[in-house]
Amino acid sequence: MGFTGNIKWTAGPTWSATLRYGLAVASVAAALGLASALMHFHAPQTFGVFALCAIAVTFWYSGAKPGILAALLSSVVRDLLFDPRTSTESRLLFDLVFLVFALLMMQAVRGRNQLELKVAERTAELTRLNDDLKREIAEHNRVEADLRLSQAYLAEAQRLSHTGSWAWSPPPGDIRYWSEECYRVQGFDPKEGHPRFESLIQRMHPDDQARVVEVIERAVRKKEDFKFDYRIIHPDGEIRFAQSLGHPVLGPSGDLVEYVGTIIDVTERRQAEEERERLREAQADLAHASRMTTMGELTASLAHEVNQPITAAVNGASTCVRWLTRDEPDLAEAREAAAGAIRNAKRAADIINRIRSILKKGESKRQLADVNELIREMIALLRSETNRYSISVRAELDANLPKIMADPVQVQQVVMNLIMNSIDAMKEIDQTRELAIRSRLAEDRHLIISISDTGEGLPQQQKDKIFDAFFTTKPHGIGMGLRISRSIVESHGGRLWAAENSPHGASFFFTLPIPVETQDNAAEKRSDAHTNV
Amino acid sequence: MTCQKEGKLVAIVDDDDSVRGTLQELLRSAGFSSRTFESAEDFLGSGHQQSAACLITDIRMPGMSGLELQARLNAEHCRIPTIFITAHGDEEMRFQALRGGAVEFLPKPFDDEVLVESVRAALER
């Protein structure tokens, strides 16, 4: 708040005019009274002194105009009541004294007013500065409180995530900052202060020390980020896994000032990854066992499938020999027959390879796969089985289906399981036995494949259980086929579900995601097809 | 319906096109003419049961099986000498085929000499 022009003093401008001029009259009257009293007691006449006092008091407290009135009154009173017989020169002299005194008082009062003005201004300034300072202090306190809170949150976040933060001068420098979590991760006691760089290295597993030092030294030389994994041996002998990240801080001239970074305890994460890996292996083993079991059940059918091309190859070879053993060998015919034999023999080999790949045990290998081709291969492989039960097979496969990232063996296992289930559902029925396999593009960046039959349909009241492990309606079934199929589809990012057909039978649907770049190609193909039409 | 053998045509019925094709070539190399059908229904629908002098058929096929085809021809009094070729041969099936009048029951892959001689014998009937 600044100075507004109001002088705040003991009395004065806030007085009314009556009071101010009244003081002039009263002070002169008081001077008169005092002088009269002294005259009565035959004391030296001092009205002039008292008058000067009255004038001074009036100027000081009432201002210039009342002060001038007091001076005039004093002059009049002195002339009339004290020494009325003095000469004109004497009167003028006293008047001059009063005038000069009045002028001096005016200056004095003006000076006093200016001084008071300055004092008020300075006071207002100081008050304002004081208020500003109080606000700054309050703000500082608030910021400090926020900072403490933020530090507390950060410390808690570090503790929860097992992440510590640090800063050290370029090695072999000192550690400048070492958060609480760093002590915990590295197994040091905070009471002992920042550990030395050498101590950190010594705390590492002996097999990791040289590598870590080399990584750090290389990063420092090149002023680059670094990242490394290592093992820590805690004082109690426990081995923990950690990961450290570092980033260089450079000065204005490009010189290395310090490194800042983090240490993360990744022991639990590593254990979870190992557990996931063990689970994946167990699932792969189970899927393999399931494939082995199913293929074992299909031995007769598979043998028939292989036998057909072998028979054709033998026929071809026999024909070739016949053409060559004629009285006049027909080389062209013999050549043609031999070529046919080779083709059929290779076909037999392909079928065997396909069977071998299905039976192969190994980790899942994702690659770009043509799902339609996988479906066709499985239909061919199971043709003998469908023929055996007089099941007609209809394949309606979208020719524009893009390739997807998938494990071909696992996808064929799903198709095989679903086809076998359909065959089992139709074995005993009297009506038409039809198996329809369809593939198409769905709207949501997925392929959708359906396998539909005209069989017994889904088990009543147990439709929700068919994907449960060990659920089966077959007398000799294990009940893992659908469970494994669903696991395979879901591991590819898809879904597997079933629905009743009308009037009878069931359909199984599964989706598989399309990679983004393949979606663009599929969209182009559909666009071209639309344009060409 | 009665069947009359008008020529020395051999009918080949098998759902596997490579077996059909190579069998036809084999018979051609042996001097026989033949016609192929991918199913028993195709054969019956073609009307060639009247002209075929010999029938070579697979047993396990989609739709009507080879044994069912034999029974149907027998019911129609169409006694075509029939040679069965199959990858699923067992004794019971063999017995049923021979009881139905089959002249030969050959497991796949078969000896070409045996097949050719069987066809020759069938055609000379």
Side-chain angles (χ1 to χ4, degrees), chain A residues 304 307-308 333 347 387, chain B residues 15-16 18 28 62 88 108:
Chain A
H304 181 264
N307 209 9
Q308 297 285 62
E333 291 281 5
R347 219 182 96 211
N387 287 349
Chain B
D15 62 305
D16 189 291
S18 62
R28 189 166 69 83
H88 293 278
K108 288 177 180 172

Side-chain angles (χ1 to χ4, degrees), chain A residues 20-60:
Chain A
R20 288 162 52 212
Y21 287 98
L23 179 63
V25 173
S27 61
V28 172
L32 174 62
L34 285 170
S36 298
L38 286 176
M39 270 181 62
H40 180 74
F41 291 103
H42 303 292
Q45 202 223 82
T46 55
F47 175 74
V49 173
F50 293 132
L52 289 175
C53 292
I55 294 169
V57 166
T58 304
F59 263 103
W60 192 260

Side-chain angles (χ1 to χ4, degrees), chain A residues 300-312:
Chain A
S301 294
L302 296 174
H304 181 264
E305 282 307 306
V306 174
N307 209 9
Q308 297 285 62
I310 290 176
T311 300

Side-chain angles (χ1 to χ4, degrees), chain A residues 435-466:
Chain A
L435 177 68
I437 304 170
R438 298 181 183 88
S439 70
R440 64 178 174 84
L441 276 171
E443 292 302 320
D444 57 346
R445 308 195 308 269
H446 283 75
L447 310 180
I448 181 165
I449 296 99
S450 67
I451 290 146
S452 302
D453 62 69
T454 55
E456 297 164 343
L458 301 177
Q460 291 302 314
Q461 279 92 45
Q462 290 178 309
K463 292 176 195 175
D464 299 332
K465 293 187 191 296
I466 59 174

